[in-house]
Amino acid sequence: MAQWLSGTVTENRHWHANLFSIKLQTPAFDFTAGQFVRLALDTPDGRLQRAYSLVNSPGSAEQEFLVSTVAGGKLSPLLQQLKMGDTLEISQPASGFFVLDEVPDGDNLWLMSSGTGIGPYLAMLGTHNLWQRFNHIVLVHSVRTIADLAYRELIQQYQHQYPGQLHYQPIVTREPMAGAPHKRLPLLIQSGELQAICKQSLTNRSQVMLCGNPEMIKDSKAMLESMGLKKNLRREPGNITVEQYW
């Protein structure tokens, strides 16, 4: 049965009208980058809770979450309205197997995401293990609009810290942006355009993590499997590790 920690809101950053990051001060707790917890609020209609991946890396002083406001949703609009000093409950312990320990070694590591699915990858970027295991890391973030490209400054910091090791590739499907393809991720994989832009191969020596919209995951996974990559299973290591984020 889950236990709960009480957290205090220290920041609520609105990237745009329907996307925000919320930071909480909580008692220290252990987790592995890529895992998730549940956030909960008590309302007149009862307790509302939902799973969210931690954006911060283990050992951070605050816990951080990237949240998309769901139209008609019950919890996310309330989270968006929280202010400094407000209280929010966090479940314990953290859960999930979308972590680097579950990913086999490879020539390169592709971190493919859509929307708020970039969250667990940001947590991984702040760990030493990621940089020690993989010489080439490609962070792909597919979004609808430029405003959805959250955390670009943080990603640039990692690029400067680890020069030549991290390639960040935004994809914007609904408006033009220099340097960002204007197509769905599975089509970019199929045509080889993604590999060409990122200057990295996608072979059975690659490792690919997929997190985000279920349709993106399903179609990208099918495309990768058609290229000879296999789903990573505990009993049979492969190339594709999936998180059903929605």
Side-chain angles (χ1 to χ4, degrees):
M1 186 174 181
Q3 298 179 337
W4 294 88
L5 295 176
S6 180
T8 302
V9 176
T10 58
E11 183 181 346
N12 196 338
R13 176 177 180 177
H14 291 199
W15 299 94
H16 61 68
N18 298 311
L19 183 69
F20 62 98
S21 297
I22 191 164
K23 288 185 179 181
L24 304 172
Q25 184 72 51
T26 70
F29 64 87
D30 293 328
F31 71 95
T32 302
Q35 289 189 311
F36 63 87
V37 294
R38 291 187 175 274
L39 301 182
L41 279 175
D42 290 320
T43 75
D45 297 324
R47 168 162 284 212
L48 300 176
Q49 57 181 286
R50 189 182 186 283
Y52 293 99
S53 290
L54 290 135
V55 170
N56 58 288
S57 303
S60 301
E62 296 172 309
Q63 318 310 325
E64 186 168 358
F65 305 89
L66 179 63
V67 183
S68 178
T69 307
V70 179
K74 294 183 178 180
L75 181 58
S76 58
L78 297 178
L79 295 179
Q80 189 174 21
Q81 297 169 21
L82 292 177
K83 296 178 175 59
M84 288 184 62
D86 287 341
T87 299
L88 185 60
E89 301 291 308
I90 297 184
S91 69
Q92 288 294 292
S95 305
F97 297 98
F98 193 69
V99 297
L100 288 173
D101 288 348
E102 298 291 324
V103 177
D105 292 331
D107 291 341
N108 51 25
L109 175 65
W110 291 78
L111 305 175
M112 298 187 183
S113 65
S114 63
T116 55
I118 194 174
Y121 300 146
L122 298 173
M124 294 175 193
L125 290 175
T127 66
H128 295 297
N129 186 30
L130 175 73
W131 307 100
Q132 292 173 345
R133 287 189 57 196
F134 298 95
N135 292 327
H136 300 288
I137 301 157
V138 182
L139 175 63
V140 181
H141 191 196
S142 177
V143 297
R144 296 177 179 179
T145 69
I146 296 171
D148 290 316
L149 293 172
Y151 293 100
R152 281 192 283 175
E153 291 183 2
L154 176 62
I155 295 166
Q156 288 175 354
Q157 290 177 19
Y158 287 121
Q159 288 180 306
H160 291 148
Q161 186 176 353
Y162 301 94
Q165 197 171 352
L166 173 65
H167 179 92
Y168 168 57
Q169 186 55 59
I171 298 169
V172 182
T173 59
R174 295 195 179 179
E175 61 182 1
M177 174 183 170
H182 194 62
K183 303 175 184 175
R184 291 187 68 236
L185 181 54
L187 296 178
L188 291 169
I189 295 171
Q190 180 183 38
S191 67
E193 185 177 349
L194 182 66
Q195 299 89 303
I197 294 173
C198 299
K199 299 180 181 179
Q200 286 295 319
S201 61
L202 266 172
T203 70
N204 59 9
R205 285 292 305 154
S206 300
Q207 287 298 324
V208 182
M209 302 184 79
L210 294 169
C211 185
N213 181 280
E215 286 299 312
M216 180 280 287
I217 291 177
K218 178 176 69 72
D219 294 345
S220 297
K221 178 174 172 289
M223 189 58 61
L224 292 167
E225 288 176 336
S226 74
M227 298 163 57
L229 283 72
K230 298 180 181 179
K231 186 174 181 180
N232 179 36
L233 304 171
R234 286 192 170 185
R235 63 180 182 274
E236 186 178 349
N239 314 95
I240 307 167
T241 303
V242 172
E243 173 73 304
Q244 292 294 154
Y245 195 69
W246 264 252

